[in-house]
Amino acid sequence: MTTPPALLIAGHGTRDDAGAEAFRAFVRELGRRRPGLPVAGGFIELSPPPLGEAVAELVGRGVRRFAAVPLMLVSAGHAKGDIPAALARERERHPGVTYTYGRPLGPHPALLRVLERRLAEAVDPSWDPAEVTVLLVGRGSTDPDANAEVFKAARLLWEGRGYAGVETAFVSLAKPDVPSGLDRCARLGARRIVVLPYFLFTGILPDRVRTQTEEWAAAHPDAEVRSADVIGPEPELLDLVLERYEEAVKGDLRMNCDSCVYRIALPGFEDKVGLPQQPHFHPDDDGHHHHGHGHTHSHSHAH
């Protein structure tokens, strides 16, 4: 019987200890769900353990093949460049190791169901959904493709659920920001608004979304504004990660490259086409100097 590839989870990283621990706990829970499957997880930046340490852990357990799944909602710079480059570096560090690379998580119907639950938890039960406008707030990216995926999630969340509308904003790097998104909701006539963070776990950026929402609400007492919680380590998220793992193992990735800045000349981003990718430096990765730090790799997101 052929041993299945191990599962490697790749995370963003955060300066928030609770958010980093939520990721590590999630990885442990995945291991409990599939006791026969070696599972490890690491971060690209900011938080321990670094991705290289997670790969070394798997190799130390005898793993020669693994499937890497980015624990990310959209395919931005980390998923498109940093992780593939880091994985190529790990293959150099550990000769004989092979891997496949999965796709990001959203907007999957299972996650949309969790978002709908978060909205239901945040609203007053007496509110009519037709009177509620949702502001879905993403991380924000310099990659227009990644930002467009948040708009896609907003549209899919709106379809068939009866809300007055689902608007979109970002907490960093992209417009509109949270106050501007709330302003837009108000200009559209919204009087009951739920701000829904499009984040997997708690952290500095989701906290910033809540703070900015509270500040805007204090300045606009005529509007009823509620803050919803992040997605969190729900059963749907665990199932989805394992689904992405199975896709990667089978080679059924179906990744969409039609609007990727590394392949298509989008206005204002023409200089990124064909840009070589390099591993993201993680300060806790003691082995970064062994092989290829600063070494570039031709762009591939495992399409």
Side-chain angles (χ1 to χ4, degrees):
M1 181 176 175
T2 304
T3 304
L7 170 57
L8 174 69
I9 305 296
H12 274 286
T14 174
R15 290 185 177 87
D16 181 78
D17 291 340
E21 180 52 34
F23 170 91
R24 292 188 288 262
F26 184 80
V27 172
R28 291 192 294 270
E29 182 59 28
L30 279 169
R32 283 191 288 269
R33 278 203 163 207
R34 295 284 291 269
L37 178 67
V39 179
F43 296 102
I44 289 296
E45 60 182 354
L46 302 174
S47 315
L51 194 63
E53 186 176 306
V55 173
E57 176 192 334
L58 290 175
V59 172
R61 293 162 66 180
V63 167
R64 308 308 291 165
R65 297 186 303 143
F66 64 85
V69 175
L71 197 68
M72 298 169 187
L73 290 167
V74 302
S75 188
H78 279 322
K80 290 180 177 180
D82 295 331
I83 297 173
L87 293 175
R89 178 187 61 194
E90 294 309 315
R91 187 168 53 191
E92 293 177 4
R93 288 181 178 175
H94 305 284
V97 168
T98 61
Y99 65 88
T100 55
Y101 183 42
R103 57 182 175 143
L105 304 176
H108 191 280
L111 294 186
L112 295 174
R113 289 196 296 272
V114 179
L115 291 173
E116 189 174 13
R117 273 209 307 277
R118 295 292 176 256
L119 289 172
E121 293 163 359
V123 301
D124 188 305
S126 67
W127 289 5
D128 181 350
E131 297 177 348
V132 175
T133 299
V134 179
L135 182 65
L136 184 71
V137 181
R139 176 179 296 270
S141 172
T142 56
D143 184 338
D145 186 29
N147 296 331
E149 288 187 39
V150 181
F151 276 82
K152 180 177 181 178
R155 180 70 203 193
L156 290 171
L157 183 62
W158 187 30
E159 291 281 352
R161 290 180 172 84
Y163 297 111
V166 180
E167 296 298 315
T168 309
F170 302 95
V171 72
S172 66
L173 299 174
K175 295 180 179 179
D177 60 16
V178 175
S180 298
L182 287 164
D183 287 342
R184 175 175 170 80
C185 292
R187 286 197 299 272
L188 289 171
R191 288 293 173 266
R192 289 174 170 168
I193 304 169
V194 179
V195 177
L196 178 62
Y198 194 43
F199 287 82
L200 293 175
F201 302 126
T202 57
I204 289 173
L205 292 181
D207 288 347
R208 186 182 302 166
V209 173
R210 186 175 289 268
T211 298
Q212 292 178 351
T213 298
E214 291 170 352
E215 291 172 349
W216 188 92
H220 298 79
D222 53 330
E224 292 185 82
V225 185
R226 301 286 179 89
S227 288
D229 287 332
V230 297
I231 291 170
E234 294 293 286
E236 290 94 337
L237 182 58
L238 289 156
D239 290 342
L240 177 55
V241 170
L242 292 171
E243 181 179 322
R244 291 288 186 255
Y245 163 79
E246 297 292 347
E247 288 175 353
V249 169
K250 295 173 183 175
D252 180 23
L253 296 179
R254 296 171 292 169
M255 188 171 283
N256 178 10
C257 298
D258 292 343
S259 51
C260 172
V261 291
Y262 298 110
R263 293 178 180 264
I264 306 299
L266 298 180
F269 297 87
E270 292 87 353
D271 61 318
K272 290 186 177 292
V273 175
L275 193 68
Q277 302 297 297
Q278 37 188 326
H280 197 96
F281 172 63
H282 193 301
D284 293 326
D285 186 354
D286 293 334
H288 73 265
H289 59 281
H290 292 170
H291 292 284
H293 178 58
H295 180 71
T296 58
H297 303 272
S298 59
H299 176 65
S300 168
H301 351 160
H303 316 244

